[in-house]
Amino acid sequence: MAQPDNTSAQSRRVVPFADPASVTRVALIASGKGGVGKSSVTVNLGVALAAMGHRTAVVDADVWGFSIPRMLGIQHEPQMVGEMIVPPEAHGVCCISMGFFAEEDQAVIWRGPMLHKALEQFLTDVAWDDPDYLLVDLPPGTGDISISLAQFLPRSEVYVVTTPQSAAQRVAQRAAFMAEKVNLTVRGVIENMSWFTGDDNKRYELFGSGGGQELADRLGVPLVGQVPLLPALREGADRGQPVAACLPDSEAGRAFSAMAAHLVDNPPPRRIYSPELKIN
């Protein structure tokens, strides 16, 4: 990837998804803390959208904990065509990630300006080809990257991932409050690790219950979906075989399909842009 001090043509590029005429819906997948399965949700939601016939892309914006390429099972590197990067694809989802530019055991030790420039290049130097959906896997918390993406992608929708316990959803709400402060709209809550279904077909709520719905009610948005604990979900992420692609009829696979359908069926309110319409 180019160094942050590059100028000329790169500095003149604009983020295509910020254009009011862009047909791409951008969804930021956020969480207030790590360990809630945000990346797994991003990957499987993207795969489910692709399975419905939608052109789908993912930006792995978690530059410190990049994991999307491995979870998707991508086997090859991005390619350069002229000055543009062609992103690799797996299961119908193309993606870009710091994982393509850093070794697995390499720590990314960057300050705000470096992070800002890397994200800008992810959005402007990649040949995305107008996807229907762009999912952005944010790092946990409310730091520099979230603020930069709010500037680059002012038309984004935000979906907050939490787990059922009260402590987790109280932390998750901070991601929603951050979105409000940077003028982004929270469109829904996704609850992960909602329950485990045993061999006796009973649901066991290992992490409690109600946290996702409570957070959704507090924010005034829908609970978009609940994802059960499933060994195949974790195993699929480790092997690069997302459950939404390999086991779509499983309990978790159906949950992701339902969430994808919710996104498709609930577009944001349409804004009308016209250069002739001015307010003096």
Side-chain angles (χ1 to χ4, degrees), residues 32-33 36 161-173 211 215:
K33 64 187 294 294
V36 299
V161 179
T162 186
T163 49
Q165 64 266 46
S166 296
Q169 61 93 5
R170 283 197 295 271
V171 176
Q173 70 183 351
L215 178 59

Side-chain angles (χ1 to χ4, degrees), residues 8-28:
S8 71
Q10 287 185 348
S11 64
R12 293 193 297 271
R13 290 187 185 133
V14 296
V15 177
F17 309 112
D19 188 332
S22 173
V23 298
T24 302
R25 280 180 64 183
V26 181
L28 307 184

Side-chain angles (χ1 to χ4, degrees), residues 65-86:
F66 45 85
S67 58
I68 298 294
R70 175 172 50 81
M71 287 184 170
L72 273 172
I74 290 177
Q75 301 295 326
H76 55 281
E77 301 293 320
Q79 303 296 313
M80 291 296 300
V81 176
E83 294 184 348
M84 300 299 288
I85 301 169
V86 178

